[in-house]
Amino acid sequence: MANTGLKDKLKQLSGSDMYPFHMPGHKRQGISDEDPCFMDITEIEGFDDLHYPKGILKDLEDRFSKMYGGAEVILSVNGSTAGNLACFFAAVRGGGQAVIARNCHKSVYNAATIRECGISYVYPKIEDGLFLGVDIDDIKDVIDNSGEKIDAVFITHPTYEGYLSDISGISKFCHSKGIALICDCAHGAHFGLDKSVPDNPISLGADAAVMSLHKTLPSLTQTACIAVSQNALFSSEEVRRYMHIFESSSPSYVLLSGIEECADRIEDMGQQAFEKYDKALDEIYDELLPLTGIRLLPFEGRDKGKLVFSAAGMDGKKLMDTLRGRFHLECEMWEGRYVLAMTGVCDTKEGLNRLKNALLSINDEIVNKDGNNLSLYADNDIFEDIYKRRHEVCLSMFETERRNKEKVELK
């Protein structure tokens, strides 16, 4: 087993009964059996060019544009990472100023570093060790007290655990100040595709939304797109120009084909698939929320497809190991005392029922054993203590890259 290669291990996983409650959103369902070598080409005649799409790839972008309310869509085979970098450079001038939420993805921080710009931080609310949405009043305070001309605001919407921000209110305030709003919507590519899911940030006034198609939709890992509003305070041409810099000059046609298959499947599934998915989630919440041994995070103010739960007497790792070892369920991640299971429209009824029944079984064991009170979602004393200290910014991020460093204990 130790000498088994990657391909063999992938085949072994594919043939097992391990169910994926993690990205990618296709959940290993309906992926083509074609040898990828048959589709692996370069920009040859008749197959268009991702960096200058005018044919079949432009048609594919237009299909996603219709899904996202008419915004201009730019495809990415370098994930949301390249999209965040490109949007940052399009919206923030070199040496300019940006407001960044403290829970932004590392690609946003990397963009600020190599753009050599000034940063003001907005701190999302925090509860039980989880980042909630960004409060509009906090954004107003940061912008009004910055003393600088702010070019753009970057926030994560939704968060990893599915929390939402008031995009409509935030965008209106930002635009009243001539400031662009960019949403890292990596976990919200499904937003706006049906009334049962939250609205897409573009329809709520954001200038751009960067979305990982592979996280919650049936697309291959590393596929993403950028939706740029028709009313954006920066041009989509500028975003494309920076995508030429941050994205591979040899984009994979295997991945592009996967994006096309994603569009096909969304159109084929239609509203009925989202309705079935929404109903299945409601059943899970109805059965698990009243439990005393398992604590399921309510979905108010969140994307309900992110199932966040903890178990009395277990830390997150033990709970995740239990789900994997005993019930053959592989979840997205564990942290502190909770586990995150990512679901999507491609999840099967059988798979969702397996997770529900596993948690019901664990709950019964806990209650019958000792009836422990539920612990918090995370061991967060040190984390919250550090997070809540609003330290003065002494150096910009690009300046710290050039300084000597020393590792110290977090506490």
Side-chain angles (χ1 to χ4, degrees), residues 80-115:
S80 286
T81 293
N84 283 336
L85 287 162
C87 284
F88 197 105
F89 271 64
V92 182
R93 61 211 150 84
Q97 297 285 326
V99 173
I100 295 179
R102 205 61 185 86
N103 63 331
C104 274
H105 187 260
K106 64 182 180 179
S107 58
V108 178
Y109 283 84
N110 288 336
T113 300
I114 59 179
R115 194 55 160 161

Side-chain angles (χ1 to χ4, degrees), residues 345-408:
V345 71
C346 287
D347 273 300
T348 65
K349 181 71 172 177
E350 181 265 344
L352 292 170
N353 280 336
R354 281 178 58 184
L355 177 61
K356 180 183 68 176
N357 291 332
L359 293 177
L360 287 171
S361 177
I362 294 172
N363 174 78
D364 290 344
E365 293 171 7
I366 291 172
V367 172
N368 292 332
K369 181 180 179 182
D370 52 18
N372 284 334
N373 292 325
L374 285 176
S375 48
L376 298 177
Y377 287 114
D379 284 323
N380 57 359
D381 291 343
I382 294 177
F383 169 64
E384 287 200 14
D385 178 52
I386 292 174
Y387 178 76
K388 288 178 178 178
R389 304 174 196 168
R390 299 297 192 260
H391 292 297
E392 179 185 354
V393 176
C394 301
L395 293 172
S396 66
M397 284 185 287
F398 68 88
E399 288 174 318
T400 67
E401 292 292 307
R402 300 163 185 167
R403 298 296 185 97
N404 293 327
K405 301 170 182 67
E406 176 187 358
K407 282 189 177 182
V408 298

Side-chain angles (χ1 to χ4, degrees), residues 186-375:
H187 285 261
H190 59 301
F191 283 13
L193 299 184
D194 186 76
K195 62 183 180 181
S196 63
V197 297
D199 292 328
N200 191 275
I202 295 296
S203 68
L204 298 174
D207 293 81
V210 184
M211 297 171 283
S212 291
L213 298 173
H214 71 94
K215 283 183 168 64
T216 58
L217 293 179
S219 196
L220 295 173
T221 297
Q222 207 170 304
T223 58
C225 71
I226 309 162
V228 183
S229 170
Q230 295 178 354
N231 301 315
L233 297 182
F234 52 88
S235 70
S236 58
E237 288 77 11
E238 278 289 277
V239 179
R240 287 188 186 274
R241 184 166 78 87
Y242 285 111
M243 284 296 285
H244 299 339
I245 297 172
F246 294 117
E247 186 168 44
S248 170
S249 60
S250 300
S252 166
Y253 277 82
V254 176
L255 295 181
L256 290 169
S257 176
I259 294 176
E260 183 179 64
E261 183 173 351
C262 175
D264 291 342
R265 293 189 65 184
I266 292 171
E267 292 169 355
D268 290 344
M269 288 188 298
Q271 183 179 355
Q272 186 177 18
F274 281 95
E275 290 175 348
K276 287 182 178 179
Y277 168 56
D278 187 57
K279 182 179 179 181
L281 288 178
D282 283 341
E283 292 174 359
I284 289 176
Y285 280 96
D286 287 345
E287 290 199 48
L288 299 187
L289 281 175
L291 300 182
T292 58
I294 291 290
R295 180 182 176 191
L296 177 65
L297 187 67
F299 61 80
E300 286 78 11
R302 296 195 310 118
D303 172 15
K304 72 161 86 171
K306 295 295 188 74
L307 299 177
V308 180
F309 48 86
S310 58
M314 292 189 188
D315 62 17
K317 185 178 187 305
K318 182 177 180 180
L319 179 54
M320 187 150 169
D321 288 345
T322 300
L323 289 169
R324 180 192 302 115
R326 286 179 50 193
F327 300 98
H328 296 182
L329 303 171
E330 187 70 61
C331 292
E332 171 69 19
M333 58 90 77
W334 65 269
E335 176 64 46
R337 297 190 181 279
Y338 72 91
V339 168
L340 167 62
M342 281 183 62
T343 71
V345 71
C346 287
D347 273 300
T348 65
K349 181 71 172 177
E350 181 265 344
L352 292 170
N353 280 336
R354 281 178 58 184
L355 177 61
K356 180 183 68 176
N357 291 332
L359 293 177
L360 287 171
S361 177
I362 294 172
N363 174 78
D364 290 344
E365 293 171 7
I366 291 172
V367 172
N368 292 332
K369 181 180 179 182
D370 52 18
N372 284 334
N373 292 325
L374 285 176
S375 48

